[in-house]
């Protein structure tokens, strides 16, 4: 069976083709860029830049690497391994389903071998494009609970335009009901800080005080 890291890396490299809506020919698609990465472990978990606006305001713009975020957030069990293997078999095309990115083999396994015999609940379907996300790639998925274990049926956006270019869905275990917040910590001009991806205008120090960011601020950030 593929390990967690191998599964995520294969998704990031999955060729999701091209979409007539996107401009991938000009800017490159994620799957094309990811296929040039020989070792995802050597990529930086988080990068950032400082953007200065005409009125003089300076904003910190961090980006969390999707690979590192997912490998720290997900896990696999026997249900995941079986489902993911079936999703990868042959050239089984996607089918109409209440879940995105499903093959017939994957759907039949969930419906006939899992949902038919276990307690389950289908939760929220999400797309990180629809809120303030600082991940390097868009995620789309549906939360599930099976026998009191939390899962996410997940796709990664490997295209250019957000309306197309998603991977075949894969199933992962979660430690909690949701994927964790996109948060980071570090230092700005020597002050310890903590921030969230959906609240970049309020970077706070360890005392809960707002930290002023300047164009020449010295920044060092880490994931989580």
């Amino acid at each position: 069976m593929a390990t967690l890291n191998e599964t995520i890396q294969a998704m990031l490299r999955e060729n999701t083709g091209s979409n007539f809506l996107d401009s991938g020919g000009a800017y490159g698609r994620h799957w094309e860029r990811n296929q040039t990465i020989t070792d995802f472990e050597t990529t930086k978990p988080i990068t950032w830049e400082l953007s200065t606006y005409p009125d003089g305001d300076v904003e910190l713009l961090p980006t969390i690497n999707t690979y590192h975020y997912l490998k720290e957030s997900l896990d696999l069990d026997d249900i995941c391994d079986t489902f993911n293997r079936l999703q990868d078999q042959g050239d089984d095309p996607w089918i109409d389903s209440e879940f995105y990115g499903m093959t017939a083999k994957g759907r039949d396994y969930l419906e006939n071998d899992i949902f038919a015999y276990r307690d389950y609940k289908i939760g929220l379907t999400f797309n990180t494009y629809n809120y303030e996300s600082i991940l390097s790639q868009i995620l789309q998925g549906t939360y599930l609970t099976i026998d009191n274990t939390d899962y996410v049926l997940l796709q990664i956006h490997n295209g250019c335009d957000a309306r197309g270019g998603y991977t075949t869905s894969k199933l992962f275990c979660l430690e909690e009901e949701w994927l964790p917040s996109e948060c980071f910590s570090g230092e700005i001009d020597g002050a310890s800080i903590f921030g969230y991806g959906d609240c970049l205008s309020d970077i706070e120090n360890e005392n809960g005080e707002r930290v002023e960011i300047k164009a020449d601020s010295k920044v060092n950030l880490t994931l989580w």
Side-chain angles (χ1 to χ4, degrees), residues 158-199:
N158 273 357
C160 187
D161 189 281
R163 290 168 288 184
Y166 290 85
T167 64
T168 299
S169 59
K170 297 295 169 60
L171 189 66
F172 299 94
C173 303
L174 295 170
E175 289 189 4
E176 299 183 5
E177 188 176 2
W178 317 102
L179 285 165
S181 298
E182 299 166 18
C183 54
F184 56 90
S185 59
E187 290 187 349
I188 296 179
D189 295 328
S192 298
I193 61 97
F194 187 83
Y196 291 92
D198 59 354
C199 196

Side-chain angles (χ1 to χ4, degrees), residues 108-168:
D108 292 347
Y109 171 69
L110 287 183
E111 291 184 354
N112 300 329
D113 295 344
I114 302 301
F115 295 163
Y117 299 102
R118 300 172 184 255
D119 292 330
Y120 74 94
K121 179 178 70 175
I122 300 173
L124 176 74
T125 294
F126 66 92
N127 187 306
T128 59
Y129 181 78
N130 295 324
Y131 61 85
E132 296 296 327
S133 173
I134 58 172
L135 294 176
S136 59
Q137 292 180 229
I138 298 167
L139 302 179
Q140 177 170 272
T142 300
Y143 292 111
L144 304 172
T145 302
I146 302 172
D147 288 344
N148 297 316
T149 298
D150 294 312
Y151 295 85
V152 62
L153 193 59
L154 189 69
Q155 294 175 285
I156 300 175
H157 177 249
N158 273 357
C160 187
D161 189 281
R163 290 168 288 184
Y166 290 85
T167 64
T168 299

Side-chain angles (χ1 to χ4, degrees), residues 42-154:
T42 64
T43 58
K44 295 180 179 179
I46 184 168
T47 57
W48 60 89
E49 61 182 59
L50 297 175
S51 180
T52 304
Y53 296 97
D55 62 2
D57 285 347
V58 180
E59 184 178 13
L60 174 66
L61 300 176
T63 299
I64 294 176
N65 182 286
T66 299
Y67 169 71
H68 290 279
Y69 173 81
L70 291 178
K71 80 167 191 172
E72 297 297 334
S73 306
L74 306 175
D75 205 348
L76 296 170
D77 64 7
D78 291 343
I79 294 176
C80 298
D81 287 337
T82 301
F83 174 82
N84 294 342
R85 176 174 51 80
L86 291 170
Q87 286 281 90
D88 279 339
Q89 282 188 355
D91 296 319
D92 200 4
W94 291 3
I95 59 168
D96 288 334
S97 170
E98 62 185 307
F99 305 118
Y100 293 116
M102 290 287 290
T103 68
K105 293 184 178 70
R107 177 205 58 189
D108 292 347
Y109 171 69
L110 287 183
E111 291 184 354
N112 300 329
D113 295 344
I114 302 301
F115 295 163
Y117 299 102
R118 300 172 184 255
D119 292 330
Y120 74 94
K121 179 178 70 175
I122 300 173
L124 176 74
T125 294
F126 66 92
N127 187 306
T128 59
Y129 181 78
N130 295 324
Y131 61 85
E132 296 296 327
S133 173
I134 58 172
L135 294 176
S136 59
Q137 292 180 229
I138 298 167
L139 302 179
Q140 177 170 272
T142 300
Y143 292 111
L144 304 172
T145 302
I146 302 172
D147 288 344
N148 297 316
T149 298
D150 294 312
Y151 295 85
V152 62
L153 193 59
L154 189 69

Side-chain angles (χ1 to χ4, degrees), residues 182-220:
E182 299 166 18
C183 54
F184 56 90
S185 59
E187 290 187 349
I188 296 179
D189 295 328
S192 298
I193 61 97
F194 187 83
Y196 291 92
D198 59 354
C199 196
L200 294 177
S201 61
D202 293 313
I203 306 297
E204 297 180 344
N205 62 23
E206 55 191 2
N207 298 320
E209 301 165 334
R210 189 173 183 274
V211 174
E212 181 184 2
I213 304 173
K214 302 181 291 294
D216 60 351
S217 285
K218 304 301 182 184
V219 180
N220 184 42

